[in-house]
Short mmCIF file of all heavy atoms in Angstrom, two decimals:
data_model
loop_
_atom_site.label_atom_id
_atom_site.label_comp_id
_atom_site.label_asym_id
_atom_site.label_seq_id
_atom_site.Cartn_x
_atom_site.Cartn_y
_atom_site.Cartn_z
N PRO A 1289 104.16 147.69 117.19
CA PRO A 1289 103.08 146.69 117.28
C PRO A 1289 102.52 146.57 118.69
O PRO A 1289 102.61 145.53 119.34
CB PRO A 1289 103.77 145.38 116.83
CG PRO A 1289 105.21 145.59 117.12
CD PRO A 1289 105.48 147.07 117.06
N ALA A 1290 101.96 147.64 119.19
CA ALA A 1290 101.43 147.68 120.55
C ALA A 1290 100.33 148.73 120.63
O ALA A 1290 100.27 149.63 119.79
CB ALA A 1290 102.54 148.07 121.53
N VAL A 1291 99.50 148.62 121.65
CA VAL A 1291 98.52 149.67 121.93
C VAL A 1291 99.29 150.92 122.33
O VAL A 1291 100.25 150.84 123.11
CB VAL A 1291 97.60 149.23 123.10
CG1 VAL A 1291 96.75 150.38 123.60
CG2 VAL A 1291 96.73 148.05 122.68
N ALA A 1301 102.25 142.26 122.75
CA ALA A 1301 101.91 140.87 122.41
C ALA A 1301 103.09 140.15 121.76
O ALA A 1301 103.40 139.02 122.08
CB ALA A 1301 100.69 140.83 121.51
N ASN A 1302 103.77 140.82 120.82
CA ASN A 1302 104.86 140.17 120.10
C ASN A 1302 106.16 140.96 120.18
O ASN A 1302 106.99 140.87 119.28
CB ASN A 1302 104.45 139.95 118.63
CG ASN A 1302 103.26 139.01 118.50
OD1 ASN A 1302 103.32 137.88 118.97
ND2 ASN A 1302 102.18 139.48 117.91
N ASN A 1328 100.06 152.81 116.76
CA ASN A 1328 99.99 151.37 116.53
C ASN A 1328 100.25 151.07 115.05
O ASN A 1328 99.80 151.80 114.17
CB ASN A 1328 98.60 150.89 116.95
CG ASN A 1328 98.34 149.46 116.56
OD1 ASN A 1328 97.75 149.19 115.51
ND2 ASN A 1328 98.79 148.53 117.38
N ASP A 1329 100.96 149.97 114.77
CA ASP A 1329 101.33 149.67 113.38
C ASP A 1329 100.13 149.45 112.45
O ASP A 1329 100.11 149.95 111.32
CB ASP A 1329 102.30 148.47 113.33
CG ASP A 1329 101.76 147.21 114.01
OD1 ASP A 1329 100.67 147.26 114.60
OD2 ASP A 1329 102.45 146.18 113.94
N ALA A 1330 99.12 148.74 112.95
CA ALA A 1330 97.96 148.48 112.09
C ALA A 1330 97.16 149.77 111.88
O ALA A 1330 96.63 150.01 110.78
CB ALA A 1330 97.07 147.41 112.71
N THR A 1354 95.73 143.32 109.37
CA THR A 1354 97.03 142.91 108.84
C THR A 1354 97.30 141.50 109.35
O THR A 1354 97.22 141.23 110.55
CB THR A 1354 98.17 143.84 109.31
OG1 THR A 1354 98.25 143.82 110.73
CG2 THR A 1354 97.96 145.26 108.86
N GLY A 1358 101.25 138.61 114.12
CA GLY A 1358 99.97 138.62 114.84
C GLY A 1358 98.88 139.06 113.87
O GLY A 1358 99.07 139.02 112.65
N ILE A 1359 97.74 139.47 114.41
CA ILE A 1359 96.71 140.11 113.57
C ILE A 1359 96.51 141.51 114.13
O ILE A 1359 96.17 141.68 115.31
CB ILE A 1359 95.37 139.33 113.58
CG1 ILE A 1359 95.55 137.93 112.98
CG2 ILE A 1359 94.31 140.12 112.81
CD1 ILE A 1359 94.26 137.11 112.92
N GLY A 1360 96.76 142.50 113.28
CA GLY A 1360 96.53 143.89 113.67
C GLY A 1360 95.24 144.37 113.02
O GLY A 1360 94.87 143.90 111.94
N GLU A 1374 92.59 146.45 118.29
CA GLU A 1374 93.08 145.16 118.82
C GLU A 1374 92.11 143.98 118.62
O GLU A 1374 92.00 143.10 119.48
CB GLU A 1374 93.43 145.29 120.31
CG GLU A 1374 94.60 146.22 120.58
CD GLU A 1374 95.95 145.68 120.10
OE1 GLU A 1374 96.19 144.47 120.20
OE2 GLU A 1374 96.76 146.49 119.60
N HIS A 1377 92.91 140.11 118.90
CA HIS A 1377 92.91 139.35 120.16
C HIS A 1377 91.51 138.96 120.60
O HIS A 1377 91.29 138.63 121.77
CB HIS A 1377 93.59 140.17 121.26
CG HIS A 1377 95.04 140.42 121.00
ND1 HIS A 1377 95.97 139.41 120.93
CD2 HIS A 1377 95.72 141.55 120.73
CE1 HIS A 1377 97.17 139.93 120.67
NE2 HIS A 1377 97.03 141.22 120.53
N GLU A 1386 94.55 135.62 117.03
CA GLU A 1386 95.78 135.68 116.22
C GLU A 1386 96.63 134.42 116.37
O GLU A 1386 97.41 134.09 115.50
CB GLU A 1386 96.60 136.95 116.51
CG GLU A 1386 97.29 136.98 117.85
CD GLU A 1386 98.26 138.17 117.97
OE1 GLU A 1386 98.13 139.17 117.25
OE2 GLU A 1386 99.15 138.06 118.84
C1 LIG B 2106 99.32 143.51 118.60
C2 LIG B 2106 98.82 144.71 117.85
C3 LIG B 2106 99.52 144.82 116.50
C4 LIG B 2106 99.42 143.51 115.74
C5 LIG B 2106 100.18 143.55 114.42
C6 LIG B 2106 99.18 142.28 117.74
O1 LIG B 2106 99.68 141.17 118.43
O2 LIG B 2106 98.57 143.32 119.80
O3 LIG B 2106 99.02 145.87 118.60
O4 LIG B 2106 98.93 145.85 115.76
O5 LIG B 2106 99.91 142.44 116.52
O6 LIG B 2106 101.52 143.78 114.60
#
Side-chain angles (χ1 to χ4, degrees):
V1291 169
N1302 296 303
N1328 171 264
D1329 56 356
T1354 60
I1359 297 181
E1374 295 291 323
H1377 296 296
E1386 71 171 22

